[in-house]
Amino acid sequence: MEQFIEDDELIRQYQAGEETAIGELLERHKKRVFTYILNVVRDRNVAEDIFQETFFKVIRTLKKQQYNGEGKFIQWVVRIAHNLTIDYFRQNKRISTISKVVKPDGRVIDVFDVIKVEDLSHEDKVIKHQIHKDLRKLVDHLPQEQKEVVVLRHYYDMSFKEIADMTNVSINTALGRMRYALINLRRLAEEHQITLTV
């Protein structure tokens, strides 16, 4: 059985001249990084460009021995992808609308679509479907930072620490964004007279 090599050890090997180590790192993390970018930009071609740029930047930084190794490698890579994605939106003056998410296994699911449907009556299923539809519309009205925290928390089951690391903010900021997102969702639901319970 092949022994698992930690990311930090692969980085050390690559910086010592072992070129195959970067291939192992890329293979290990490419799906998660690409999925994250695709969920934000919603365009496969743009996502592929940003993904390539992300790993070019990773390779350049590692070659220059500028990676400090603080925190997890994957969080550092996703932070680079996140920053490049923000640059893309600034350059194109576009705001991403997140209502559907592509899971790492390729399935497309909707925001908050995590309640089990099997135990609901037909009428309850119809109501639940309408609630999700209404909720997705409300989520689209949230500021980008709040929307991002909601999606990462509810789709990727990420902890607030992981969200904070990925978006390069403090845990308190990530928690605050979620809190304001929930307040805003409740307010929007009241304004539009939408019921959010089955």
Side-chain angles (χ1 to χ4, degrees):
M1 193 172 117
E2 204 174 306
Q3 186 181 355
F4 180 80
I5 302 171
E6 294 291 334
D7 288 351
D8 287 344
E9 176 58 22
L10 286 169
I11 291 165
R12 194 195 61 70
Q13 288 176 10
Y14 177 65
Q15 289 177 329
E18 184 60 53
E19 292 292 323
T20 56
I22 195 68
E24 171 75 25
L25 279 169
L26 176 62
E27 194 59 38
R28 187 176 289 178
H29 298 296
K30 68 181 182 181
K31 197 171 200 175
R32 190 169 175 191
V33 175
F34 181 77
T35 301
Y36 171 75
I37 298 167
L38 183 60
N39 278 326
V40 178
V41 299
R42 317 301 303 154
D43 180 309
R44 186 165 285 277
N45 292 329
V46 172
E48 284 170 1
D49 289 345
I50 294 173
F51 176 78
Q52 284 183 1
E53 199 177 333
T54 298
F55 274 94
F56 286 146
K57 194 163 187 176
V58 166
I59 290 167
R60 282 195 304 271
T61 305
L62 293 177
K63 279 194 175 197
K64 290 179 184 172
Q65 308 277 331
Q66 292 175 338
Y67 174 67
N68 61 17
E70 289 176 20
K72 285 185 180 174
F73 174 74
I74 182 62
Q75 290 171 341
W76 175 66
V77 175
V78 172
R79 194 176 304 129
I80 291 171
H82 175 78
N83 291 338
L84 289 171
T85 302
I86 288 171
D87 290 346
Y88 165 77
F89 284 122
R90 279 189 190 132
Q91 287 165 7
N92 292 276
K93 292 182 173 60
R94 288 176 52 197
I95 295 174
S96 171
T97 298
I98 300 173
S99 63
K100 291 187 184 261
V101 172
V102 182
K103 293 286 268 185
D105 64 6
R107 289 180 302 129
V108 177
I109 59 170
D110 292 320
V111 175
F112 296 125
D113 209 3
V114 289
I115 302 168
K116 289 186 177 158
V117 180
E118 303 82 29
D119 300 334
L120 300 176
S121 69
H122 176 69
E123 188 179 278
D124 285 344
K125 286 179 187 176
V126 171
I127 293 168
K128 178 181 162 289
H129 177 73
Q130 187 59 49
I131 288 169
H132 284 193
K133 206 168 155 186
D134 292 340
L135 192 53
R136 280 195 304 276
K137 287 179 189 166
L138 297 181
V139 168
D140 285 341
H141 292 337
L142 292 174
Q144 184 64 29
E145 293 86 3
Q146 292 174 21
K147 199 185 313 183
E148 187 173 43
V149 172
V150 169
V151 169
L152 292 173
R153 181 79 179 129
H154 285 279
Y155 277 123
Y156 285 90
D157 300 321
M158 293 178 82
S159 69
F160 284 105
K161 182 178 185 334
E162 289 171 324
I163 293 169
D165 288 343
M166 181 181 287
T167 56
N168 208 17
V169 298
S170 70
I171 292 177
N172 284 340
T173 300
L175 286 166
R177 286 176 179 175
M178 177 59 96
R179 183 172 159 265
Y180 286 119
L182 295 174
I183 289 168
N184 285 332
L185 286 171
R186 283 190 203 105
R187 179 182 54 76
L188 286 165
E190 282 173 23
E191 284 174 11
H192 294 88
Q193 298 178 341
I194 293 170
T195 304
L196 297 177
T197 54
V198 176

